[in-house]
Amino acid sequence: FILAIKGAGFKSSKLLNSMMTLDFAYYLFLRLSDDSSIPKNQVKRYVQKWFVLSTLTGRYIGSPETVMSRDIRNIEEKGFLTFFCEIERSVLPDTFWEVTLPQNLETSSVNSPAFNVFLAAQINMNKNSLFMHGTMISDLLNISGDVHHIFPKAYLKANGVTAKSRYNQVANYTYLDTQVNKAISDDAPAEYFSTVMKQFASRTAEIGNIMDMESLNANIAENAIPSEIVNMTVADYDDFLYKRRRLMARMIEEYYK
């Protein structure tokens, strides 16, 4: 069971924001392991999908005992596969991925379920951290445990974005290698991305270890950052947040499906 949860990308307890959700996933693991209608090699996959589904939708956050009892009864009466398909269709329609999930990512809480699932998706899909090839998101989560601002906080505050709820948006967060974070300092994205691109010709690494444009574009994409970031300043901040939330939601959808 632990391997199933870690295999889904939840390799740190920091990403587990609901113990009741974890408890039900464990019940489901035991239940499906003893269910002859479920192929043994699919038990882990269904447990992972149910855990992510219930985390994303906050299924066991409000009145969890009531919802758990109802789910257990429905699984016993209908069979898990039938019930799972019903729930998946009802709580994860296309509008969830396209509208609801991006809206749920419009938050400053680093403990939000949507942000935790985004990080789990990056870990599950073996994504590199920004500007680093070979330093994975999972490495940084386990070692440093700190997220950093893509638009540096000091830069935003100096340019009129003073509300904590705005500069601390989760769409402005990513896990960064400590040395990369120090090199970025308080510069605008347009400035520090320019520094990165200059090192392609000089072959002298100032920020990270990426040395060509193709690798940089791939690295930006695996961190669900809009490609326009290379030219962005504070004037583009709201547009950046809007676009990144949608890219994050798209990555979560790809991961779940």
Side-chain angles (χ1 to χ4, degrees):
F1 172 72
I2 292 171
L3 288 175
I5 299 302
K6 287 188 173 184
F10 294 84
K11 291 190 174 181
S12 169
S13 60
K14 296 174 183 177
L15 301 181
L16 303 174
N17 66 318
S18 167
M19 293 309 297
M20 298 297 272
T21 302
L22 191 66
D23 287 346
F24 192 89
Y26 185 55
Y27 153 76
L28 191 65
F29 175 78
L30 297 175
R31 174 68 177 76
L32 297 187
S33 295
D34 199 38
D35 188 335
S36 59
S37 69
I38 307 293
K40 296 302 181 186
N41 63 354
Q42 292 296 305
V43 170
K44 186 167 82 168
R45 174 174 168 268
Y46 282 123
V47 169
Q48 291 171 330
K49 288 181 78 74
W50 187 271
F51 181 71
V52 174
L53 176 152
S54 53
T55 297
L56 277 177
T57 60
R59 189 167 186 83
Y60 304 115
I61 300 300
S63 303
E65 294 88 353
T66 301
V67 179
M68 283 179 167
S69 296
R70 185 169 64 242
D71 284 352
I72 291 171
R73 184 173 65 253
N74 279 317
I75 289 171
E76 295 301 323
E77 292 175 356
K78 300 178 180 181
F80 172 74
L81 291 179
T82 298
F83 179 60
F84 174 66
C85 289
E86 287 179 4
I87 294 300
E88 197 174 42
R89 284 195 300 267
S90 66
V91 303
L92 297 180
D94 290 343
T95 53
F96 174 83
W97 305 111
E98 295 165 7
V99 180
T100 306
L101 185 53
Q103 289 176 343
N104 290 347
L105 287 163
E106 192 170 351
T107 176
S108 59
S109 172
V110 292
N111 291 319
S112 73
F115 186 57
N116 284 340
V117 172
F118 170 70
L119 294 175
Q122 285 194 295
I123 292 169
N124 172 267
M125 299 165 83
N126 295 313
K127 302 298 187 182
N128 289 282
S129 62
L130 188 61
F131 298 132
M132 294 295 293
H133 178 73
T135 300
M136 319 307 287
I137 296 294
S138 56
D139 298 329
L140 298 180
L141 188 75
N142 290 326
I143 295 170
S144 65
D146 294 321
V147 290
H148 298 288
H149 298 75
I150 298 170
F151 276 74
K153 180 171 64 174
Y155 167 74
L156 289 174
K157 292 174 74 174
N159 286 276
V161 183
T162 56
K164 189 175 182 180
S165 60
R166 287 196 64 211
Y167 60 70
N168 277 348
Q169 284 283 307
V170 297
N172 192 31
Y173 281 140
T174 191
Y175 274 83
L176 290 176
D177 178 90
T178 301
Q179 297 306 315
V180 169
N181 187 53
K182 288 179 180 178
I184 288 172
S185 186
D186 298 328
D187 292 338
E191 291 183 49
Y192 65 77
F193 270 92
S194 176
T195 300
V196 171
M197 288 184 283
K198 286 176 182 175
Q199 70 193 29
F200 299 163
S202 69
R203 310 307 293 176
T204 301
E206 293 185 47
I207 300 177
N209 64 3
I210 290 177
M211 290 297 183
D212 63 84
M213 197 66 208
E214 183 179 356
S215 297
L216 179 61
N217 286 334
N219 183 248
I220 290 171
E222 65 184 335
N223 284 281
I225 295 173
S227 58
E228 299 92 332
I229 189 70
V230 298
N231 297 311
M232 283 184 167
T233 65
V234 68
D236 308 296
Y237 183 57
D238 288 330
D239 185 49
F240 161 78
L241 292 177
Y242 176 85
K243 289 178 177 177
R244 189 168 193 239
R245 282 193 288 265
R246 274 145 188 79
L247 290 174
M248 293 166 77
R250 199 173 302 161
M251 184 178 289
I252 293 171
E253 179 182 12
E254 179 188 351
Y255 151 76
Y256 175 80
K257 290 184 175 179

